[in-house]
Amino acid sequence: MNKKIRNLLAATVMFSGLVTFGCANDVKSFQTDLSKQIETVDKQYKKLDYLSTDDQTTLKKELENSKEVEKSGSRSDLEDEISHLKKILTPFESKDRKIAGEITTAGELRYNAAIDTTNKEKLTDLIAKSRDFSDYESFEQACQTALTQTKKQLVEAVSNQANAAIGSTYIPQTDKVDLTAILEKVKKAENITVAYSYLSNLQTTTSQVISRTKANEITVKAAEAKAEEDKKAAQAAAEKAKAEADRVAQAQAAQAAQAAQAAQAAQAAQAAQAAQAAEDTSGSINNTNHTKWAVEDGYNWHNRKGHSRIIPPGGSLPPGYHWQV
């Protein structure tokens, strides 16, 4: 072998060695990257609060498989595994966020006074099981069912409260219009989730309306009480005036009766006097149908004893005597 060929062979061997060394370094670098990615995924998945035991098992198997791939000398396999691990947590993180949101909502709802004991117990049970459940799909469905039932009950309870407020005699008209508009949105909602989205506004508005309605009721009732008081006072004044008028009328009537009696008495006296005068001028004959007293002149009825006579009808008045009625 001549010198030229030997040099060529030597150069070839050297180049081949460099290539091999370079490839080896590349594989080692990818192995290091994969190891770091495995560690990152392991730490991140352990931070997830709401993973099912099935998903935890799946992730552990994936990490174990990645460790096996790490031992491989294939650059392609290492690259594929690194890419796979970078994406592997995405669906699990999505599940964790969904369950976390539902458990947070359950925690808020279970203390609401409007839900009954049954729904409260369901929510409390879900919260207790949220850190240790086997299958994501079944647990998530249980959460959805419980939350839907609870939200439905809350919407009905608040809607009933709003309807009661609308039915109040003392609700201000503007509040009645506003509250009715929100209730219409709730009634027309496509599903309970949409209806529940109006609940906060409905609940707040209802509370404010009830407060204003009570204030209005107090004002109206105070005005009614004042009007009733004024009415009673007016009636009392009218009754008092009537009683006084009746008293005056009765007094006047009594006075009139007394005056009439006096007039009658005077008239009777006048008649008696006229009769006496008539008798006095009728002569000395008792022309009546009853006996009459004749009293001696100079005497009267009181001192007539021994100086008076009884004259029968038709009898004559003795001389020196006068008739005594």
Side-chain angles (χ1 to χ4, degrees):
M1 185 179 296
N2 59 34
K3 185 177 180 180
K4 188 175 182 179
I5 293 174
R6 283 199 304 272
N7 290 338
L8 181 61
L9 288 172
T12 301
V13 171
M14 183 180 295
F15 177 77
S16 177
L18 289 173
V19 171
T20 302
F21 178 75
C23 290
N25 282 341
D26 283 347
V27 169
K28 186 174 182 180
S29 175
F30 279 109
Q31 286 174 327
T32 301
D33 289 346
L34 179 58
S35 177
K36 291 180 179 178
Q37 191 62 41
I38 291 171
E39 183 178 356
T40 298
V41 171
D42 186 55
K43 288 180 179 179
Q44 289 179 341
Y45 109 78
K46 287 179 180 178
K47 292 180 181 179
L48 300 180
D49 294 320
Y50 302 102
L51 275 186
S52 67
T53 54
D54 290 347
D55 286 339
Q56 291 180 47
T57 300
T58 298
L59 274 172
K60 288 177 182 178
K61 287 181 178 179
E62 287 283 355
L63 291 176
E64 290 298 324
N65 181 64
S66 295
K67 290 176 182 178
E68 291 298 321
V69 175
E70 182 186 353
K71 299 174 184 178
S72 168
S74 169
R75 174 177 171 173
S76 176
D77 289 346
L78 291 169
E79 286 181 317
D80 289 344
E81 193 62 23
I82 291 171
S83 178
H84 173 64
L85 284 182
K86 287 180 178 179
K87 302 174 184 177
I88 194 171
L89 282 179
T90 300
F92 297 105
E93 289 172 339
S94 177
K95 291 179 178 180
D96 179 78
R97 284 193 299 271
K98 190 168 183 59
I99 295 296
E102 292 172 340
I103 293 302
T104 298
T105 302
E108 294 170 352
L109 293 178
R110 68 170 170 166
Y111 294 112
N112 195 301
I115 67 170
D116 58 24
T117 303
T118 300
N119 281 330
K120 182 176 181 179
E121 289 177 350
K122 287 180 180 179
L123 295 177
T124 302
D125 184 58
L126 286 173
I127 293 171
K129 293 178 179 178
S130 62
R131 299 302 178 92
D132 185 22
F133 58 95
S134 59
D135 177 63
Y136 167 81
E137 296 295 338
S138 60
F139 186 75
E140 200 279 330
Q141 182 59 49
C143 288
Q144 283 289 319
T145 300
L147 291 177
T148 297
Q149 291 174 345
T150 303
K151 288 177 179 179
K152 182 178 179 181
Q153 188 175 60
L154 283 175
V155 169
E156 289 178 352
V158 177
S159 295
N160 289 339
Q161 190 178 28
N163 279 316
I166 289 174
S168 172
T169 306
Y170 303 98
I171 183 173
Q173 185 59 31
T174 53
D175 284 341
K176 185 174 184 178
V177 171
D178 292 343
L179 201 52
T180 300
I182 300 174
L183 271 176
E184 282 302 310
K185 291 180 180 179
V186 173
K187 292 177 183 177
K188 293 178 180 179
E190 298 176 358
N191 51 56
I192 194 61
T193 301
V194 176
Y196 184 75
S197 67
Y198 297 113
L199 187 67
S200 179
N201 186 21
L202 179 61
Q203 203 161 18
T204 300
T205 303
T206 300
S207 178
Q208 293 172 346
V209 169
I210 289 175
S211 178
R212 285 192 288 268
T213 298
K214 286 182 178 178
N216 189 46
E217 181 179 359
I218 292 172
T219 301
V220 171
K221 285 187 174 180
E224 290 176 345
K226 180 66 168 57
E228 183 64 22
E229 185 179 341
D230 291 345
K231 180 181 177 182
K232 288 181 179 178
Q235 288 177 339
E239 289 173 358
K240 183 177 180 180
K242 184 178 181 300
E244 180 63 18
D246 290 345
R247 185 189 67 77
V248 171
Q250 288 175 357
Q252 291 175 342
Q255 290 176 353
Q258 289 176 354
Q261 288 177 354
Q264 289 176 353
Q267 190 176 22
Q270 290 176 354
Q273 289 176 356
Q276 181 64 49
E279 289 181 1
D280 289 344
T281 58
S282 63
S284 59
I285 304 301
N286 180 6
N287 55 8
T288 66
N289 59 357
H290 56 272
T291 59
K292 293 179 65 176
W293 283 92
V295 179
E296 187 178 349
D297 293 342
Y299 295 89
N300 55 37
W301 181 259
H302 298 291
N303 58 8
R304 72 184 185 280
K305 190 172 182 181
H307 300 281
S308 61
R309 297 179 184 182
I310 296 176
I311 307 302
S316 299
L317 179 67
Y321 282 74
H322 63 271
W323 298 113
Q324 178 65 48
V325 179

